Amino acid sequence: MQIHVVQQGDSLYSIGKEYGTDYATLARQNGIDPRQTLVIGQTIVIPGESDRLGIVEVNGYAFANIAEDVLAKTLPRLTFLSLFSYEVRPGGDLVPIAVPAAEDRAISAAIAARVMPALVLTNIGTSGNFEADLAHAIINDAAAVGKLLDSLTAIMHSKGYAGLDVDFEYVLPADREAYTSFLETCAARMESHGFFLSCAIPAKDADNPADSLTGAYDYAAIGQIADYVTLMTYEWGYAAGQPMAVAPINKVEDVLRFATGLMPSVKILMGIPNYGYDWPTPVTPATPGKAIGNTRAVDLARKYNQAISFDETAQTPFFEYWPNAHTRHEVWFEDARSAHAKLLMAHKYNLAGFSYWTINRYWPQNWLLLDEMYDVGKA
């Protein structure tokens, strides 16, 4: 396997000739329209003989409205399909996924592909955002937790879910012990019903219990409780922030070194973003960045005739463009080089594998690389 970075004058035909393959095969494997011109700095994956690095487990978060063809193409590369999301309410009530028919379709497709479906539980409230006060109200109310778990296990049995994924974000630092206790209660209930428990937690490279974003998450304790832990190793670059890599590999590695010192590495699923951001500059509260798919980012560079650059430290591609004479945009996204750097981390740190946010957009080059590097564990 090799990754070719497009240079001035390259075409799919010339690249194919250089590597002893044909342009149509390269186009199909990389998800490229063969009629389009290539962009300087664009990457082309050249499949070939390579050493396999072992077996990994792969989770894909998905909204239930995922296109059927995208789901069908992605399921062979997954161990878990985590459907987003059931929302908790005060007192332990649940708001289910809005379109149950789409949820049921995704679960059935997952099971047929030997993929374990997981119900994702969130503290997204009526505001449409993750709410710290909502998490506080639940995890400090034993009766609410009991009611919640009764409802969850009934739903999971009836719909065919194999596990529960707890994605409580912005939990208050003062609720650190309560959150850990909540996970212990969830784990005991899941085990008694034959389900697994996973949880998604924010990335950090040090433990500061007072930190407003990460203080509530006790890595050592969570690593003992959960069957799997998704480290959300993304959002260094975020919509309201200044343009930068969403998941710079140097920052990701800092988190992995810290996490593997506190929890079993074989429980860790490293988060990989299947998106980038397009920021107008300067970024203001009124003009935040917008999420953009990785293949869409290359299309945008082509539209505005912009070469793609690469940050060697972050191992992430970027480019700028001007939709008009007065507005500059900066785009950071993921490509084959950045995906390859991330995929190597499972081997380097003996991780369980990877967790993608989200799989609703199909990312051909990533899945091609995964196929070349690992075997995916199946139910």
Side-chain angles (χ1 to χ4, degrees):
M1 178 197 71
Q2 294 176 276
I3 296 174
H4 180 91
V5 180
V6 174
Q7 307 295 316
Q8 181 72 42
D10 278 349
S11 67
L12 281 174
Y13 176 79
S14 68
I15 295 169
K17 188 174 180 180
E18 178 180 349
Y19 291 97
T21 187
D22 67 279
Y23 79 93
T25 299
L26 283 181
R28 175 178 52 78
Q29 291 171 327
N30 285 269
I32 297 171
D33 185 339
R35 297 167 296 180
Q36 293 178 332
T37 57
L38 300 179
V39 178
I40 295 173
Q42 181 179 356
T43 54
I44 307 295
V45 179
I46 316 295
E49 291 186 12
S50 58
D51 293 333
R52 312 290 287 177
L53 297 179
I55 300 173
V56 290
E57 294 175 288
V58 181
N59 175 57
Y61 284 101
F63 295 95
N65 65 353
I66 184 172
E68 289 190 36
D69 65 320
V70 173
L71 183 62
K73 289 186 292 186
T74 307
L75 282 173
R77 283 73 176 244
L78 298 184
T79 310
F80 311 103
L81 175 68
S82 295
L83 291 174
F84 202 86
S85 73
Y86 279 68
E87 300 171 2
V88 70
R89 290 291 181 266
D93 291 326
L94 275 174
V95 177
I97 289 173
V99 186
E103 175 191 10
D104 294 340
R105 171 185 59 83
I107 291 171
S108 295
I111 293 170
R114 295 173 54 215
V115 173
M116 292 181 279
L119 183 155
V120 181
L121 177 70
T122 67
N123 60 319
I124 295 175
T126 55
S127 67
N129 300 311
F130 289 94
E131 297 178 1
D133 289 343
L134 177 56
H136 173 81
I138 293 297
I139 64 180
N140 288 282
D141 183 342
V145 171
K147 179 180 179 181
L148 171 64
L149 291 175
D150 286 344
S151 297
L152 286 171
T153 51
I155 292 168
M156 292 166 71
H157 280 299
S158 67
K159 286 185 171 287
Y161 281 108
L164 172 68
D165 181 76
V166 176
D167 182 10
F168 276 21
E169 301 186 25
Y170 302 103
V171 177
L172 298 170
D175 283 331
R176 181 177 171 114
E177 291 185 7
Y179 175 72
T180 300
S181 178
F182 170 69
L183 290 179
E184 288 177 331
T185 303
C186 290
R189 182 67 72 91
M190 292 302 113
E191 183 178 15
S192 70
H193 285 262
F195 300 129
F196 67 83
L197 175 71
S198 63
C199 61
I201 58 177
K204 60 181 177 180
D205 59 12
D207 190 26
N208 177 5
D211 185 89
S212 61
L213 293 178
T214 66
Y217 305 90
D218 183 340
Y219 271 25
I222 293 169
Q224 292 300 313
I225 296 166
D227 296 300
Y228 297 96
V229 179
T230 287
L231 298 179
M232 294 187 285
T233 39
Y234 35 75
E235 289 291 285
W236 278 273
Y238 60 101
Q242 295 305 305
M244 66 172 291
V246 172
I249 197 65
N250 54 319
K251 300 292 187 183
V252 170
E253 278 214 74
D254 287 344
V255 174
L256 293 178
R257 278 190 289 267
F258 175 69
T260 54
L262 292 174
M263 64 176 72
S265 63
V266 293
K267 290 187 175 185
I268 294 173
L269 299 171
M270 188 191 86
I272 296 181
N274 183 19
Y275 65 94
Y277 281 109
D278 177 354
W279 287 275
T281 61
V283 179
T284 71
T287 58
K290 294 184 178 180
I292 185 171
N294 297 317
T295 54
R296 169 62 182 150
V298 176
D299 291 340
L300 197 61
R302 179 183 298 106
K303 176 180 178 180
Y304 289 99
N305 195 29
Q306 295 297 307
I308 296 168
S309 300
F310 192 72
D311 186 302
E312 294 291 345
T313 300
Q315 289 285 292
T316 307
F318 66 97
F319 64 92
E320 57 184 24
Y321 72 94
W322 290 260
N324 57 61
H326 307 289
T327 306
R328 174 184 175 274
H329 282 237
E330 190 167 335
V331 178
W332 289 75
F333 65 107
E334 303 288 329
D335 70 359
R337 290 166 292 181
S338 64
H340 183 250
K342 291 174 174 62
L343 290 172
L344 286 172
M345 292 299 102
H347 180 66
K348 184 173 182 178
Y349 289 94
N350 193 34
L351 307 180
F354 310 102
S355 184
Y356 288 86
W357 180 266
T358 68
I359 61 165
N360 280 63
R361 297 184 181 101
Y362 191 64
W363 186 10
Q365 289 190 326
N366 170 81
W367 302 123
L368 178 57
L369 285 166
L370 184 71
D371 291 344
E372 290 284 300
M373 295 171 68
Y374 295 103
D375 295 310
V376 175
K378 287 287 186 177

